[in-house]
mmCIF file of all heavy atoms in Angstrom:
data_model
loop_
_atom_site.group_PDB
_atom_site.id
_atom_site.type_symbol
_atom_site.label_atom_id
_atom_site.label_comp_id
_atom_site.label_asym_id
_atom_site.label_seq_id
_atom_site.Cartn_x
_atom_site.Cartn_y
_atom_site.Cartn_z
ATOM 1 N N SER A 19 -5.544 34.292 -10.622
ATOM 2 C CA SER A 19 -4.932 33.810 -9.390
ATOM 3 C C SER A 19 -5.144 32.314 -9.248
ATOM 4 O O SER A 19 -6.133 31.766 -9.723
ATOM 5 C CB SER A 19 -5.555 34.514 -8.189
ATOM 6 O OG SER A 19 -5.306 35.887 -8.269
ATOM 7 N N GLU A 22 -2.601 28.444 -5.025
ATOM 8 C CA GLU A 22 -1.277 28.643 -4.430
ATOM 9 C C GLU A 22 -1.052 30.127 -4.097
ATOM 10 O O GLU A 22 -0.467 30.450 -3.064
ATOM 11 C CB GLU A 22 -0.194 28.147 -5.381
ATOM 12 C CG GLU A 22 1.192 28.217 -4.767
ATOM 13 C CD GLU A 22 2.274 27.683 -5.698
ATOM 14 O OE1 GLU A 22 1.974 26.816 -6.535
ATOM 15 O OE2 GLU A 22 3.408 28.153 -5.573
ATOM 16 N N ASP A 23 -1.538 31.026 -4.953
ATOM 17 C CA ASP A 23 -1.456 32.459 -4.657
ATOM 18 C C ASP A 23 -2.219 32.763 -3.369
ATOM 19 O O ASP A 23 -1.728 33.480 -2.496
ATOM 20 C CB ASP A 23 -2.042 33.298 -5.789
ATOM 21 C CG ASP A 23 -1.234 33.240 -7.074
ATOM 22 O OD1 ASP A 23 -0.095 32.724 -7.052
ATOM 23 O OD2 ASP A 23 -1.759 33.718 -8.101
ATOM 24 N N ALA A 24 -3.425 32.226 -3.266
ATOM 25 C CA ALA A 24 -4.245 32.445 -2.072
ATOM 26 C C ALA A 24 -3.536 31.907 -0.826
ATOM 27 O O ALA A 24 -3.540 32.552 0.228
ATOM 28 C CB ALA A 24 -5.610 31.782 -2.246
ATOM 29 N N GLN A 25 -2.895 30.746 -0.952
ATOM 30 C CA GLN A 25 -2.154 30.169 0.177
ATOM 31 C C GLN A 25 -1.003 31.068 0.601
ATOM 32 O O GLN A 25 -0.786 31.290 1.797
ATOM 33 C CB GLN A 25 -1.601 28.790 -0.196
ATOM 34 C CG GLN A 25 -2.628 27.705 -0.255
ATOM 35 C CD GLN A 25 -2.044 26.405 -0.785
ATOM 36 O OE1 GLN A 25 -1.329 26.386 -1.781
ATOM 37 N NE2 GLN A 25 -2.362 25.317 -0.108
ATOM 38 N N ARG A 26 -0.255 31.588 -0.365
ATOM 39 C CA ARG A 26 0.895 32.453 -0.046
ATOM 40 C C ARG A 26 0.428 33.732 0.650
ATOM 41 O O ARG A 26 1.057 34.194 1.591
ATOM 42 C CB ARG A 26 1.664 32.831 -1.318
ATOM 43 C CG ARG A 26 2.513 31.741 -1.865
ATOM 44 C CD ARG A 26 3.677 31.493 -0.939
ATOM 45 N NE ARG A 26 4.524 30.477 -1.517
ATOM 46 C CZ ARG A 26 5.720 30.204 -1.097
ATOM 47 N NH1 ARG A 26 6.241 30.853 -0.112
ATOM 48 N NH2 ARG A 26 6.424 29.252 -1.648
ATOM 49 N N LEU A 27 -0.661 34.311 0.167
ATOM 50 C CA LEU A 27 -1.160 35.543 0.774
ATOM 51 C C LEU A 27 -1.665 35.287 2.190
ATOM 52 O O LEU A 27 -1.417 36.086 3.100
ATOM 53 C CB LEU A 27 -2.239 36.163 -0.111
ATOM 54 C CG LEU A 27 -1.705 36.682 -1.453
ATOM 55 C CD1 LEU A 27 -2.853 37.010 -2.399
ATOM 56 C CD2 LEU A 27 -0.789 37.878 -1.263
ATOM 57 N N MET A 28 -2.351 34.175 2.394
ATOM 58 C CA MET A 28 -2.814 33.837 3.745
ATOM 59 C C MET A 28 -1.619 33.567 4.655
ATOM 60 O O MET A 28 -1.627 33.938 5.831
ATOM 61 C CB MET A 28 -3.757 32.634 3.715
ATOM 62 C CG MET A 28 -4.363 32.315 5.070
ATOM 63 S SD MET A 28 -5.244 33.703 5.847
ATOM 64 C CE MET A 28 -6.734 33.744 4.849
ATOM 65 N N LEU A 29 -0.586 32.978 4.117
ATOM 66 C CA LEU A 29 0.632 32.744 4.884
ATOM 67 C C LEU A 29 1.243 34.077 5.333
ATOM 68 O O LEU A 29 1.688 34.212 6.477
ATOM 69 C CB LEU A 29 1.634 31.947 4.048
ATOM 70 C CG LEU A 29 2.917 31.509 4.729
ATOM 71 C CD1 LEU A 29 2.624 30.569 5.898
ATOM 72 C CD2 LEU A 29 3.831 30.824 3.720
ATOM 73 N N ALA A 30 1.234 35.077 4.459
ATOM 74 C CA ALA A 30 1.766 36.400 4.811
ATOM 75 C C ALA A 30 0.948 37.040 5.927
ATOM 76 O O ALA A 30 1.500 37.647 6.849
ATOM 77 C CB ALA A 30 1.787 37.299 3.581
ATOM 78 N N ILE A 31 -0.360 36.884 5.868
ATOM 79 C CA ILE A 31 -1.228 37.433 6.918
ATOM 80 C C ILE A 31 -0.942 36.725 8.239
ATOM 81 O O ILE A 31 -0.738 37.364 9.273
ATOM 82 C CB ILE A 31 -2.721 37.284 6.539
ATOM 83 C CG1 ILE A 31 -3.057 38.133 5.309
ATOM 84 C CG2 ILE A 31 -3.613 37.665 7.725
ATOM 85 C CD1 ILE A 31 -4.428 37.855 4.728
ATOM 86 N N CYS A 32 -0.908 35.409 8.199
ATOM 87 C CA CYS A 32 -0.696 34.627 9.427
ATOM 88 C C CYS A 32 0.697 34.831 10.006
ATOM 89 O O CYS A 32 0.858 34.815 11.226
ATOM 90 C CB CYS A 32 -0.969 33.149 9.162
ATOM 91 S SG CYS A 32 -2.718 32.788 8.909
ATOM 92 N N LEU A 56 -8.981 40.489 -0.093
ATOM 93 C CA LEU A 56 -8.089 40.267 -1.238
ATOM 94 C C LEU A 56 -8.857 39.619 -2.385
ATOM 95 O O LEU A 56 -9.612 38.674 -2.166
ATOM 96 C CB LEU A 56 -6.930 39.351 -0.838
ATOM 97 C CG LEU A 56 -5.983 39.901 0.219
ATOM 98 C CD1 LEU A 56 -5.044 38.816 0.697
ATOM 99 C CD2 LEU A 56 -5.211 41.083 -0.335
ATOM 100 N N PRO A 57 -8.649 40.095 -3.608
ATOM 101 C CA PRO A 57 -9.346 39.489 -4.751
ATOM 102 C C PRO A 57 -9.114 37.986 -4.861
ATOM 103 O O PRO A 57 -10.012 37.244 -5.247
ATOM 104 C CB PRO A 57 -8.744 40.214 -5.964
ATOM 105 C CG PRO A 57 -8.213 41.490 -5.424
ATOM 106 C CD PRO A 57 -7.803 41.211 -4.003
ATOM 107 N N GLU A 58 -7.917 37.535 -4.491
ATOM 108 C CA GLU A 58 -7.591 36.110 -4.588
ATOM 109 C C GLU A 58 -8.417 35.255 -3.625
ATOM 110 O O GLU A 58 -8.552 34.057 -3.823
ATOM 111 C CB GLU A 58 -6.104 35.887 -4.287
ATOM 112 C CG GLU A 58 -5.173 36.456 -5.307
ATOM 113 C CD GLU A 58 -4.849 37.932 -5.105
ATOM 114 O OE1 GLU A 58 -5.464 38.587 -4.229
ATOM 115 O OE2 GLU A 58 -4.002 38.454 -5.829
ATOM 116 N N LEU A 59 -8.951 35.855 -2.576
ATOM 117 C CA LEU A 59 -9.713 35.106 -1.578
ATOM 118 C C LEU A 59 -11.183 35.482 -1.524
ATOM 119 O O LEU A 59 -11.976 34.796 -0.876
ATOM 120 C CB LEU A 59 -9.094 35.303 -0.187
ATOM 121 C CG LEU A 59 -7.850 34.484 0.112
ATOM 122 C CD1 LEU A 59 -6.623 35.063 -0.517
ATOM 123 C CD2 LEU A 59 -7.662 34.339 1.592
ATOM 124 N N PHE A 91 8.793 31.736 2.674
ATOM 125 C CA PHE A 91 8.505 32.527 1.478
ATOM 126 C C PHE A 91 9.564 32.385 0.390
ATOM 127 O O PHE A 91 9.437 32.998 -0.663
ATOM 128 C CB PHE A 91 8.328 34.009 1.848
ATOM 129 C CG PHE A 91 7.055 34.246 2.597
ATOM 130 C CD1 PHE A 91 7.021 34.126 3.975
ATOM 131 C CD2 PHE A 91 5.892 34.540 1.924
ATOM 132 C CE1 PHE A 91 5.853 34.314 4.668
ATOM 133 C CE2 PHE A 91 4.713 34.728 2.606
ATOM 134 C CZ PHE A 91 4.689 34.616 3.984
ATOM 135 N N ARG A 98 4.689 40.111 -8.799
ATOM 136 C CA ARG A 98 3.412 40.632 -8.292
ATOM 137 C C ARG A 98 3.015 39.939 -6.994
ATOM 138 O O ARG A 98 2.608 40.583 -6.036
ATOM 139 C CB ARG A 98 2.332 40.441 -9.351
ATOM 140 C CG ARG A 98 0.969 40.933 -8.904
ATOM 141 C CD ARG A 98 -0.059 40.751 -10.042
ATOM 142 N NE ARG A 98 -1.376 40.882 -9.513
ATOM 143 C CZ ARG A 98 -2.108 39.885 -9.004
ATOM 144 N NH1 ARG A 98 -1.628 38.664 -9.002
ATOM 145 N NH2 ARG A 98 -3.299 40.095 -8.522
ATOM 146 N N LEU A 99 3.163 38.632 -6.929
ATOM 147 C CA LEU A 99 2.807 37.900 -5.714
ATOM 148 C C LEU A 99 3.775 38.235 -4.579
ATOM 149 O O LEU A 99 3.351 38.404 -3.428
ATOM 150 C CB LEU A 99 2.780 36.393 -5.979
ATOM 151 C CG LEU A 99 2.329 35.520 -4.809
ATOM 152 C CD1 LEU A 99 0.902 35.891 -4.372
ATOM 153 C CD2 LEU A 99 2.398 34.049 -5.177
ATOM 154 N N GLN A 101 5.358 41.044 -4.148
ATOM 155 C CA GLN A 101 4.991 42.378 -3.691
ATOM 156 C C GLN A 101 3.732 42.347 -2.841
ATOM 157 O O GLN A 101 3.647 42.985 -1.798
ATOM 158 C CB GLN A 101 4.791 43.315 -4.891
ATOM 159 C CG GLN A 101 6.068 43.651 -5.609
ATOM 160 C CD GLN A 101 5.837 44.476 -6.860
ATOM 161 O OE1 GLN A 101 4.755 44.473 -7.442
ATOM 162 N NE2 GLN A 101 6.874 45.184 -7.281
ATOM 163 N N LYS A 102 2.756 41.578 -3.289
ATOM 164 C CA LYS A 102 1.483 41.517 -2.568
ATOM 165 C C LYS A 102 1.651 40.839 -1.207
ATOM 166 O O LYS A 102 1.008 41.231 -0.233
ATOM 167 C CB LYS A 102 0.446 40.788 -3.418
ATOM 168 C CG LYS A 102 -0.961 41.181 -3.086
ATOM 169 C CD LYS A 102 -1.894 40.822 -4.212
ATOM 170 C CE LYS A 102 -3.251 41.383 -3.924
ATOM 171 N NZ LYS A 102 -4.204 41.127 -4.988
ATOM 172 N N CYS A 103 2.519 39.841 -1.119
ATOM 173 C CA CYS A 103 2.799 39.195 0.178
ATOM 174 C C CYS A 103 3.368 40.207 1.165
ATOM 175 O O CYS A 103 2.957 40.252 2.327
ATOM 176 C CB CYS A 103 3.760 38.020 0.003
ATOM 177 S SG CYS A 103 3.006 36.530 -0.655
ATOM 178 N N PHE A 104 4.302 41.025 0.707
ATOM 179 C CA PHE A 104 4.883 42.039 1.592
ATOM 180 C C PHE A 104 3.834 43.065 1.992
ATOM 181 O O PHE A 104 3.715 43.423 3.168
ATOM 182 C CB PHE A 104 6.071 42.727 0.911
ATOM 183 C CG PHE A 104 6.730 43.739 1.793
ATOM 184 C CD1 PHE A 104 7.607 43.334 2.790
ATOM 185 C CD2 PHE A 104 6.463 45.092 1.652
ATOM 186 C CE1 PHE A 104 8.210 44.267 3.635
ATOM 187 C CE2 PHE A 104 7.060 46.025 2.475
ATOM 188 C CZ PHE A 104 7.937 45.619 3.471
ATOM 189 N N ILE A 106 0.559 42.788 2.190
ATOM 190 C CA ILE A 106 -0.439 42.271 3.121
ATOM 191 C C ILE A 106 0.177 41.957 4.487
ATOM 192 O O ILE A 106 -0.468 42.106 5.520
ATOM 193 C CB ILE A 106 -1.222 41.063 2.537
ATOM 194 C CG1 ILE A 106 -2.500 40.789 3.351
ATOM 195 C CG2 ILE A 106 -0.375 39.823 2.472
ATOM 196 C CD1 ILE A 106 -3.526 41.876 3.303
ATOM 197 N N ALA A 107 1.440 41.561 4.514
ATOM 198 C CA ALA A 107 2.113 41.352 5.806
ATOM 199 C C ALA A 107 2.246 42.676 6.549
ATOM 200 O O ALA A 107 1.956 42.758 7.754
ATOM 201 C CB ALA A 107 3.491 40.722 5.591
ATOM 202 N N THR A 110 -1.186 43.781 7.781
ATOM 203 C CA THR A 110 -1.589 42.993 8.951
ATOM 204 C C THR A 110 -0.911 43.526 10.205
ATOM 205 O O THR A 110 -1.557 43.689 11.244
ATOM 206 C CB THR A 110 -1.243 41.505 8.754
ATOM 207 O OG1 THR A 110 -1.881 41.042 7.560
ATOM 208 C CG2 THR A 110 -1.696 40.664 9.929
#
Side-chain angles (χ1 to χ4, degrees):
S19 298
E22 185 178 332
D23 292 349
Q25 286 173 314
R26 284 291 183 167
L27 293 168
M28 185 56 74
L29 185 62
I31 295 170
C32 289
L56 296 170
E58 293 85 353
L59 281 78
F91 289 88
R98 179 178 165 271
L99 184 60
Q101 290 175 337
K102 205 161 187 178
C103 283
F104 182 79
I106 196 65
T110 303

